[in-house]
Amino acid sequence: MSVTTAVSPDGGTVTISIAGRFDFQLHQVLRNAYEPHLTRKPGFVIDLTQTEYLDSSALGMLIILRKQAGGDHARVAIRGARDGVRKTLEVANFGKLFSLS
Amino acid sequence: MTRETISSSRAAGVQDLTTPTPKLKALVADDAPSNRRVLEALLSHLGFLVVTAQDGEEAIERFGAERPDVVLLDVVMPRMDGFDACRRIKEMAKEQFVPVLFLTALTEEDVVAKCIDAGGDDFLSRPFSASVLRAKIKALDRFRALHATMRAQARDLEGHQARMLREIELGTEVLSRIIRADDLAASNLHVLRSPASMFSGDLLMVARTPSGGQRVFLGDFTGHGLPAAIGALPVSEIFYSRTSSGVQIPDLVCHIDAKLQAILPDGVFLAACVLELTSDERRLIAWNGGIPDAIVFRPGAGIVRRFESTGLPLGLGVTAEEASRSLCVERVRPGDRVYIYSDGVIELAAPGGEMFGQERLERFMPPTAAPEEIFSSVVGSLENFRGGAEQLDDVTMIEVVADGSLLQPQSDGSRSMKEHPPLFGWKFTLDMGPAALRALNPLPLLMGHLKELRLPHSQEQAIYLILAELYTNALDHGVLKLDSSTKETSDGFAQYHEMREEALALVSSGLIRISVGIERNGPDYLLRVQVQDSGSGFSFSPCRSALDGNEGASGRGIALVEHLCETVTYTAGGTCAEAIYRIHGASREMLGP
């Protein structure tokens, strides 16, 4: 389980990668990862390439991130979700709220 | 006692020849009976057993039969002279040193030289005094004893060396089994490995991440040989297990560092570079702690990026935060090539002492370089440069090519259910009392068991979700009695998390029973999950609608479970949830839209 953050050279995009299980335990770590960047209003990329599982609290955390990043004006992309993880996002209709790729 | 042990015990030191224990044996060959008698008397007096011969041929026979410790030869004898006899005796003695002393009335220098040429060890001209003979014999015996000691030591050394070689062979075998050869043999990798000693201090490993990325680890222990090789064992274990379980580079680096800190003696550490080519071949992620710059080459553009060492070598205290700060990410284009190499490459010395150097290496990578020739050119150049000079350090280099091969589906990894249907006809139950509820997250445990029971990989996320949601519901609302509407805002989420932690730490009663099993129903495999809690039940109004609006941060879990499962039913006043999930026959259904 781990969260890594990378900021693009121009500061416009913050990429947060989540490895292993994405669940309630990551709540504070994830918040620490994105909150410092909120004032600059960057785009966020949530990289789930290395995410094995996620549960509904992970979905909740993503919703909160989206709200804080500007709600309907937020630019939050979810990238790299594999098989089952992608299916869960689709079942939850997250494609309506985030750009899934 | 064997002859060997006798000679060893004699070898322990030069003995006082007046009291040799046990008695040494001397062979005297002389055709004049009077000479023989005189010598026999003198030598007996010195404590020798004396054997005599009348000419060279008899001397050889007696030597073979008696194996004396010292030989005294007359030069001029009938049938065979002393020179020929000496040559034969030296041949027969083989590696054992038997001193030969020539005795003759001839005094020409020519004769002295011939005695030595024939293999004689010393020369005494007649007439001689008893004390001179005694001194010569004593001196020769010192040589003999010294020689015997050396022989015994050489034999010991040979034994040690043979055992060491055998141990090294075993160690090399163990190491070679640990390093997974098939991952290193991937078609987009080229590898040069040239250890300075039998065990390399360089460690090169490759593994695929769960998402299909390719992760390369190049490590260089301080020192080489056995001490360095020992450290390779835990490092490889951590690298392979953590990489396959999806751990990212900073955490991997941090784990290896902690392990090495715990086991390595001070002063031994591991300079390392970890590089990952993502499964879409669009990004390189690199961490470098103490390895020379890894180079990214782009056809037509030359060197476009160097991953410099920005971290501490492993074993010196690397935290995950530091490791993520020093992580480098680079966009990759098709055809890009990455070179990672140990310092043995740039510090390779020519016979004159000049080093190969970074600059010389980079000269092979101008924009115009033919990409597929770079690696072999560098390898050839390294060999030529070294010439006959001794290689002092391990030399390791790997080329990683973004050639599109990661985009191909992996043939081995994905277990399709057609080949391996899940095991069925079983059920296990996990009962968790308060102490277990406080301390144990049952989900990794349950998922571990399910993997063992050949659950198709493509179904893992769905099943994880079902178990996670039912368990969380039972714990949060059944046992801890929390209200999830708190979770609506970021602070609320944090608050809820805190409340949950507090409540969980205080749990002193309550029980959650989780049962999981797979049954077969015609062509279908059904996973049945039951989660029962000791609480007072919770509201379970159908909540499929919760997924449609999707604005709230909570209330999504059970809706997802209901969506995924054939049926979800609640009994016993909401304290027992049962979900039945059909394990899909083909992974296509899980992947498709």
Side-chain angles (χ1 to χ4, degrees):
Chain A
M1 244 182 338
S2 77
V3 175
T4 26
T5 312
V7 184
S8 65
D10 63 0
T13 308
V14 176
T15 302
I16 300 174
S17 307
I18 296 159
R21 285 194 314 275
F22 183 6
D23 64 12
F24 215 88
Q25 301 294 323
L26 285 188
H27 162 64
Q28 197 56 45
V29 188
L30 182 67
R31 198 174 161 184
N32 293 345
Y34 69 76
E35 280 194 343
H37 303 285
L38 287 173
T39 49
R40 283 190 288 106
K41 303 212 175 297
F44 286 95
V45 175
I46 309 300
D47 188 333
L48 301 184
T49 310
Q50 307 277 4
T51 306
E52 280 183 78
Y53 310 121
L54 52 78
D55 66 3
S56 67
S57 64
L59 300 179
M61 286 184 256
L62 290 171
I63 293 285
I64 288 168
L65 164 59
R66 182 175 175 277
K67 263 188 198 164
Q68 299 218 312
D72 289 343
H73 304 293
R75 287 173 295 134
V76 183
I78 298 176
R79 170 171 84 188
R82 301 184 271 134
D83 311 3
V85 172
R86 166 175 285 270
K87 180 76 176 172
T88 300
L89 294 169
E90 284 168 0
V91 167
N93 287 318
F94 265 37
K96 291 180 185 168
L97 303 173
F98 300 88
S99 97
L100 297 182
S101 62
Chain B
M1 223 190 244
T2 66
R3 184 156 187 93
E4 291 296 308
T5 52
I6 292 168
S7 69
S8 301
S9 66
R10 281 178 191 171
V14 180
Q15 297 149 340
D16 181 0
L17 286 178
T18 52
T19 53
T21 46
K23 275 194 166 182
L24 295 176
K25 200 182 274 181
L27 169 63
V28 172
D30 200 315
D31 55 334
S34 58
N35 284 347
R36 287 202 299 272
R37 274 198 301 280
V38 170
L39 285 170
E40 191 170 359
L42 276 170
L43 289 165
S44 301
H45 186 69
L46 289 176
F48 283 93
L49 281 172
V50 184
V51 185
T52 59
Q54 298 182 17
D55 56 45
E57 283 201 2
E58 195 187 353
I60 291 165
E61 274 167 35
R62 301 305 300 271
F63 181 84
E66 302 284 347
R67 286 276 159 182
D69 300 287
V70 61
V71 178
L72 287 80
L73 290 177
D74 188 13
V75 174
V76 183
M77 289 183 289
R79 293 213 291 169
M80 184 189 282
D81 66 10
F83 300 137
D84 286 340
C86 180
R87 284 193 194 94
R88 290 295 313 280
I89 284 169
K90 287 288 180 180
E91 273 171 33
M92 289 163 80
K94 290 181 187 150
E95 75 271 28
Q96 196 188 348
F97 177 65
V98 180
V100 174
L101 177 63
F102 278 103
L103 298 163
T104 178
L106 307 168
T107 52
E108 294 84 24
E109 284 185 12
D110 188 35
V111 174
V112 179
K114 274 184 170 172
C115 288
I116 303 302
D117 286 348
D121 298 288
D122 208 344
F123 174 91
L124 192 56
S125 48
R126 294 180 207 274
F128 52 82
S129 72
S131 64
V132 171
L133 178 69
R134 183 191 164 123
K136 293 258 181 193
I137 296 265
K138 197 166 178 176
L140 285 175
D141 193 63
R142 263 185 217 153
F143 276 128
R144 188 198 55 73
L146 187 66
H147 191 271
T149 306
M150 280 170 51
R151 272 219 316 150
Q153 286 173 345
R155 249 196 326 271
D156 281 355
L157 273 177
E158 277 165 25
H160 284 307
Q161 197 182 18
R163 201 172 62 218
M164 205 174 80
L165 278 176
R166 208 178 62 235
E167 284 172 1
I168 286 178
E169 275 167 22
L170 287 175
T172 310
E173 171 82 18
V174 169
L175 278 185
S176 67
R177 288 188 196 197
I178 282 170
I179 304 305
R180 288 190 209 151
D182 31 331
D183 284 314
L184 265 173
S187 62
N188 69 323
L189 302 177
H190 299 103
V191 174
L192 166 70
R193 273 183 300 180
S194 173
S197 62
M198 242 170 147
F199 284 127
S200 177
D202 285 359
L203 177 61
L204 180 63
M205 299 179 289
V206 177
R208 299 293 287 267
T209 64
S211 56
Q214 188 176 47
R215 192 176 284 176
V216 178
F217 185 103
L218 174 63
D220 180 0
F221 277 101
T222 46
H224 43 244
L226 191 60
I230 288 171
L233 296 177
V235 173
S236 62
E237 170 67 28
I238 295 172
F239 173 76
Y240 288 123
S241 67
R242 304 276 166 167
T243 296
S244 71
S245 66
V247 165
Q248 289 203 317
I249 291 175
D251 278 347
L252 173 75
V253 160
C254 175
H255 278 301
I256 293 176
D257 176 74
K259 186 71 179 178
L260 291 181
Q261 278 198 72
I263 63 165
L264 289 183
D266 291 343
V268 181
F269 51 81
L270 178 68
C273 178
V274 192
L275 180 121
E276 185 174 321
L277 179 60
T278 54
S279 57
D280 54 8
E281 294 197 6
R282 287 195 185 149
R283 281 186 307 155
L284 280 170
I285 307 165
W287 180 87
N288 187 347
I291 290 280
D293 295 1
I295 299 172
V296 184
F297 170 87
R298 179 162 299 158
I303 295 171
V304 293
R305 174 85 196 248
R306 290 179 183 82
F307 294 118
E308 290 157 11
S309 165
T310 50
L312 275 177
L314 302 175
L316 297 179
V318 181
T319 66
E321 287 74 36
E322 277 165 1
S324 29
R325 267 204 306 278
S326 45
L327 208 61
C328 302
V329 182
E330 178 71 26
R331 289 207 175 278
V332 177
R333 291 203 200 144
D336 281 3
R337 283 161 193 257
V338 194
Y339 299 87
I340 318 170
Y341 46 93
S342 63
D343 58 5
V345 170
I346 49 178
E347 289 169 11
L348 187 83
E354 190 197 353
M355 285 188 185
F356 191 77
Q358 180 94 22
E359 211 180 298
R360 199 184 310 263
L361 176 68
E362 296 191 0
R363 262 184 244 153
F364 289 91
M365 305 169 191
T368 52
E372 56 287 337
E373 283 167 19
I374 294 173
F375 189 79
S376 54
S377 305
V378 172
V379 172
S381 169
L382 284 169
E383 194 56 39
N384 286 338
F385 184 80
R386 185 164 69 89
E390 191 194 350
Q391 183 188 321
L392 298 173
D393 197 1
D394 306 311
V395 171
T396 306
M397 179 167 69
I398 183 165
E399 178 189 55
V400 182
V401 190
D403 65 354
S405 57
L406 297 193
L407 307 174
Q408 309 300 320
Q410 268 177 284
S411 52
D412 49 346
S414 48
R415 293 162 290 173
S416 106
M417 208 176 91
K418 288 214 166 69
E419 293 156 39
H420 294 294
L423 292 179
F424 62 95
W426 55 265
K427 175 173 123 171
F428 62 75
T429 301
L430 176 67
D431 280 356
M432 297 175 70
L437 291 172
R438 285 197 302 267
L440 176 71
N441 177 358
L443 295 167
L445 182 77
L446 295 171
M447 291 309 291
H449 282 308
L450 287 168
K451 283 185 191 184
E452 294 286 312
L453 290 158
R454 298 210 306 248
L455 190 74
H457 185 62
S458 59
Q459 315 283 304
E460 282 174 11
Q461 160 62 19
I463 292 169
Y464 176 84
L465 192 85
I466 295 164
L467 291 169
E469 299 307 330
L470 295 185
Y471 176 73
T472 305
N473 251 344
L475 181 64
D476 289 15
H477 309 307
V479 176
L480 304 179
K481 302 186 169 40
L482 299 171
D483 178 3
S484 67
S485 62
T486 323
K487 284 194 282 189
E488 288 303 316
T489 63
S490 184
D491 288 335
F493 218 94
Q495 235 175 41
Y496 185 84
H497 187 58
E498 271 167 37
M499 277 161 47
R500 185 180 196 262
E501 294 282 292
E502 276 168 31
L504 192 55
L506 294 173
V507 162
S508 58
S509 65
L511 178 82
I512 293 181
R513 167 171 294 176
I514 308 165
S515 297
V516 185
I518 293 182
E519 302 148 19
R520 191 169 171 182
N521 183 7
D524 292 333
Y525 294 90
L526 299 176
L527 177 91
R528 188 187 296 269
V529 180
Q530 278 179 324
V531 179
Q532 185 164 17
D533 65 72
S534 57
S536 53
F538 53 89
S539 66
F540 50 93
S541 54
C543 37
R544 269 177 201 269
S545 57
L547 287 174
D548 299 336
N550 231 340
E551 294 302 318
S554 72
R556 195 170 285 103
I558 292 304
L560 280 169
V561 174
E562 289 186 349
H563 186 97
L564 289 170
C565 291
E566 300 295 297
T567 59
V568 181
T569 50
Y570 299 91
T571 52
T575 61
C576 179
E578 180 181 85
I580 295 178
Y581 174 76
R582 188 163 64 86
I583 297 173
H584 300 262
S587 55
R588 200 170 297 115
E589 194 173 339
M590 284 298 287
L591 286 167

